Amino acid sequence: DIVMTQTPLSLSVTPGQSASISCRSSQSLLHSDGNTFVYWYLQRPGQSPQLLLYDVSSRFSGVPDRFSGSGSGTDFTLRISRVEAADVGVYYCMQGIELPTFGQGTTVEIK
Amino acid sequence: EVQVVESGGGLVKPGRPLRLSCTASGFMFGDYAMSWFRQAPGKGLEWVGFIRSKAHGGTTEYAASVKGRFAISRDDSKSIAYLQMNSLKIEDTAVYYCTDGTYGHWGQGTLVTVSS
C-alpha cells in the first residue's frame, strides 16, 4: 500500500494569514497517462469530507481560489490563503493512483 | 445536482451481517465506479472498496481489512450501490460513506455500530 504522510498534524492559524499542509507519498503518484492522482479534503466538525482539490491542483466545484495545491512525484502541498473561521477542521490528502489511501489528517484551528 | 445518500446503518452484533445502500442521483450512475469509505469514531478516513462501472467490467476491489467479508454490488436500473457486510467485527464500527467515481460527492454517512 502507498503510505501518505502529512505534516504538520495540527496547525493554529491567525485569521487572514496563510497556512500550508504537506503530504508525502511512499512512491510516485504520477500515472503513465500523465495525471497525478492526489486529492485534498476538508472535514469540518460533524460533517462529511468535502473535496477541495483533485489531480494535485484542480479545484472542485464551488471551492474558493483561496485553496491551492502544488507538487509532483511524491511531495505535495495544500495552501490556504487568507484563512477564515470556516476553514477549521481536519484536512486529508488521498492518493488515487492505486487503491486509495489517506494521510493521517491535519487539524486546523483558528487562533 | 449530484447527490448520494447512504442508508441501512444501525446496531448489529458481532458476527452478524448488515447491508448498506447508497442511492445516487444527478448523474449517469451506470457510467461511474462507486466507492465506499469509512471512519471509525475519532479516527481518520479509510477506503473500504469500490465497484467499477459495467463498461469496465463491474469488478470490485477491497481493502485488506474487509476482503472476504464485505461485498459491493450495484443496481444500475435503480442507481443504487450496496455494501454487504458479513462476519462483522467490533472494529468495523464506523460511519460509512459512499462516493461517486470522481471521489467528489460524498453522502452524509450512515453509522454502523458492532457491539454485543
Side-chain angles (χ1 to χ4, degrees):
Chain A
D1 290 2
I2 295 176
V3 176
M4 303 291 280
T5 303
Q6 285 182 233
T7 54
L9 297 184
S10 65
L11 205 48
S12 185
V13 188
T14 301
Q17 297 298 303
S18 296
S20 291
I21 300 170
S22 174
C23 183
R24 177 167 289 180
S25 58
S26 60
Q27 62 191 72
S28 175
L29 302 183
L30 174 62
H31 194 272
S32 56
D33 66 5
N35 288 319
T36 302
F37 294 100
V38 174
Y39 304 77
W40 287 96
Y41 291 90
L42 164 60
Q43 187 173 30
R44 295 188 175 101
Q47 295 188 16
S48 304
Q50 61 175 99
L51 180 62
L52 298 173
L53 304 172
Y54 62 95
D55 293 353
V56 179
S57 59
S58 296
R59 274 184 294 277
F60 193 59
S61 175
V63 174
D65 60 7
R66 299 185 300 102
F67 293 90
S68 61
S70 63
S72 63
T74 61
D75 288 287
F76 305 93
T77 301
L78 169 70
R79 178 178 168 85
I80 313 168
S81 302
R82 306 181 304 281
V83 169
E84 302 176 356
D87 301 335
V88 163
V90 181
Y91 290 78
Y92 295 94
C93 59
M94 184 189 86
Q95 64 79 19
I97 194 171
E98 292 186 356
L99 303 182
T101 50
F102 289 89
Q104 314 96 302
T106 297
T107 300
V108 172
E109 65 170 27
I110 298 295
K111 281 184 184 174
Chain B
E1 180 193 1
V2 174
Q3 280 195 321
V4 292
V5 178
E6 304 90 344
S7 60
L11 175 62
V12 60
K13 292 185 181 336
R16 302 295 295 168
L18 193 67
R19 189 178 79 162
L20 306 182
S21 299
C22 169
T23 304
S25 60
F27 64 101
M28 295 296 291
F29 181 84
D31 291 346
Y32 288 86
M34 294 296 293
S35 293
W36 286 93
F37 294 81
R38 68 183 181 182
Q39 186 171 37
K43 301 296 185 183
L45 297 167
E46 179 187 18
W47 170 77
V48 172
F50 64 66
I51 184 166
R52 297 178 178 87
S53 66
K54 293 279 196 312
H56 289 90
T59 52
T60 53
E61 304 287 347
Y62 300 97
S65 57
V66 307
K67 198 169 187 178
R69 299 188 299 122
F70 289 12
I72 299 173
S73 60
R74 62 190 300 154
D75 184 337
D76 290 350
S77 68
K78 296 181 180 177
S79 297
I80 299 178
Y82 299 101
L83 178 63
Q84 177 67 44
M85 303 184 293
N86 297 324
S87 303
L88 280 163
K89 304 177 181 180
I90 291 174
E91 53 264 39
D92 294 320
T93 294
V95 175
Y96 285 74
Y97 298 99
C98 75
T99 74
D100 66 343
T102 68
Y103 301 128
H105 299 95
W106 293 56
Q108 81 291 345
T110 187
L111 176 62
V112 173
T113 303
V114 185
S115 175
S116 54

